[in-house]
Amino acid sequence: MGGSTRNPRVLQGDNASGQSPYQRLSRRMLDISGDRGVLKDVIREGAGELVTPDASVLVKYSGYLEHMDKPFDSNWFRKTPRLMKLGEDITLWGMELGLLSMRRGELARFLFTPSYAYGTLGCPPLIPPNTTVLFEIELLDFLDSAESDKFWALSAEQQDEFPLQKVLKVAATEREFGNYLFRQNRFCDAKVRYKRALLLLHRRSAPPEEQHLVEAAKLLVLLNLSFTYLKLERPTTALSYGEQALIIDRKNAKALFRCGQACLLMTEYQKARDFLVRAQQEQPFNHDISNELKKLASYYRDYTDKEKEMCHRMFAPYNGSTVGEN
């Protein structure tokens, strides 16, 4: 279920009670601020943990005035919403409190009184003074960056003393930010986040019994970097990161596949075939691998046909006229 760009129908109807639509709605809403300044009605339950205080959130929202059908503010039709950090990018105190009560996938309706919204002055010309507003908010995802923020504020010496599990969490957060940027097709920005995570993991030494945790984290980042450089049309670098991933896990189907894709773009057809066949051996029913092998076969046929045609032209008898002959 998604949000609406029209004021919810539940707010309309008989007004015989003398109460406004928002007053009627507020009677069945949960008080989450303690002073009825922020009221909540869950439309669809979410799952997992609550949003953390220092998180960056990915949300869709629409804001309404009481007697208007269309929202005064909405990002519902934006293909990829902007990632917003609590305490920095969200200006409404009511929205921040509301988000802290939500879980991934949750869709909820909130009423914010003026002190939790636009205050006594409002926001001319859209929001009149002392206005209660309604927001429908869908929490798509959030990234808990508290540990990451704390880590990057430390000196290099203090970072080296940071517990391994927390370092791994920081690296995972950087990778998740990279994933968000990648989904937005911001590949250069994603690359920066992935490289930041990889540098952090390379710097960190771990006792033998925990080294596998570092290697597993590196593998994920290397795979992300390989894919990102393919998107940036830099197959040589994509191949390099794919081969580094194979040092950690020589049978990793995704790494073999990325290396095969890179070699195909580099027109190194035999190497591409070797990587893709190995990937298919690991995942025989993977359609992406099968399709890439078909693409390779097609490209190779075109290549050999052109080679044959060029050889034929080079060695064919010359029957042309002498230069200058009438």
Side-chain angles (χ1 to χ4, degrees):
M1 177 178 177
S4 171
T5 56
R6 295 183 66 82
N7 214 331
R9 298 289 103 189
V10 70
L11 303 181
Q12 301 182 9
D14 179 27
N15 198 27
S17 64
Q19 292 184 316
S20 73
Y22 282 4
Q23 287 173 331
R24 294 199 306 276
L25 178 63
S26 69
R27 291 195 307 231
R28 58 181 178 82
M29 298 180 80
L30 176 68
D31 178 13
I32 63 170
S33 60
D35 60 359
R36 298 197 64 78
V38 180
L39 302 177
K40 177 181 180 181
D41 178 29
V42 176
I43 301 171
R44 182 186 65 222
E45 296 283 352
E49 299 176 353
L50 292 172
V51 172
T52 52
D54 294 295
S56 293
V57 297
L58 198 63
V59 298
K60 287 192 173 183
Y61 64 85
S62 291
Y64 302 92
L65 299 179
E66 189 163 20
H67 298 290
M68 294 182 66
D69 275 347
K70 293 184 179 180
F72 62 83
D73 186 20
S74 179
N75 74 343
W76 216 274
F77 291 117
R78 188 175 296 172
K79 185 175 180 181
T80 307
R82 183 170 64 93
L83 200 63
M84 298 184 292
K85 186 168 178 60
L86 297 184
E88 294 180 12
D89 301 317
I90 296 174
T91 56
L92 294 187
W93 177 225
M95 182 179 285
E96 184 144 337
L97 283 180
L99 285 165
L100 289 170
S101 75
M102 298 182 74
R103 306 174 193 274
R104 286 183 180 90
E106 182 176 333
L107 176 65
R109 183 178 297 144
F110 296 91
L111 281 176
F112 304 146
T113 58
S115 59
Y116 287 90
Y118 298 96
T120 57
L121 299 178
C123 187
L126 289 177
I127 315 295
N130 290 308
T131 299
T132 293
V133 294
L134 179 145
F135 270 80
E136 278 193 0
I137 301 174
E138 181 178 16
L139 178 64
L140 304 175
D141 200 1
F142 72 90
L143 301 178
D144 180 2
S145 56
E147 207 70 73
S148 183
D149 294 340
K150 178 181 176 183
F151 178 84
W152 295 116
L154 299 174
S155 66
E157 294 77 12
Q158 291 172 320
Q159 289 178 3
D160 290 337
E161 298 299 320
F162 218 58
L164 177 61
Q165 290 297 330
K166 293 187 176 182
V167 170
L168 293 173
K169 187 173 181 181
V170 172
T173 300
E174 292 297 326
R175 187 173 66 84
E176 288 169 357
F177 274 112
N179 291 346
Y180 163 74
L181 294 165
F182 186 97
R183 289 191 294 269
Q184 284 196 316
N185 295 326
R186 293 167 57 186
F187 302 122
C188 286
D189 294 331
K191 172 194 67 176
V192 171
R193 288 288 191 167
Y194 293 143
K195 284 190 171 182
R196 196 175 180 185
L198 188 61
L199 178 62
L200 176 58
L201 293 168
H202 278 318
R203 279 175 47 196
R204 186 61 188 224
S205 58
E209 65 273 14
E210 293 185 318
Q211 185 60 34
H212 70 283
L213 298 174
V214 177
E215 295 300 299
K218 283 182 186 177
L219 178 62
L220 293 175
V221 178
L222 290 167
L223 291 171
N224 288 146
L225 278 165
S226 183
F227 195 17
T228 301
Y229 275 101
L230 285 172
K231 292 292 188 180
L232 291 169
E233 298 181 351
R234 294 175 59 183
T236 304
T237 309
L239 177 61
S240 173
Y241 281 117
E243 289 177 329
Q244 289 179 56
L246 289 172
I247 293 173
I248 297 173
D249 180 3
R250 66 186 183 87
K251 291 187 175 183
N252 187 280
K254 190 170 287 187
L256 292 165
F257 180 58
R258 299 292 177 229
C259 289
Q261 287 180 299
C263 290
L264 181 56
L265 290 172
M266 296 160 63
T267 68
E268 295 188 13
Y269 297 125
Q270 187 57 53
K271 285 184 67 174
R273 183 183 182 281
D274 291 344
F275 280 121
L276 292 172
V277 167
R278 287 169 60 191
Q280 193 173 57
Q281 288 172 347
E282 298 302 323
Q283 293 187 0
F285 305 108
N286 186 305
H287 293 298
D288 290 334
I289 297 172
S290 297
N291 290 336
E292 201 71 12
L293 279 165
K294 290 175 185 176
K295 186 193 296 185
L296 169 62
S298 174
Y299 285 7
Y300 188 70
R301 277 195 303 271
D302 291 343
Y303 169 76
T304 54
D305 288 345
K306 288 177 182 177
E307 287 282 299
K308 288 176 184 177
E309 183 180 349
M310 186 166 58
C311 288
H312 177 73
R313 289 179 177 176
M314 288 174 63
F315 297 107
Y318 177 70
N319 297 319
S321 301
T322 304
V323 174
E325 181 179 353
N326 292 328

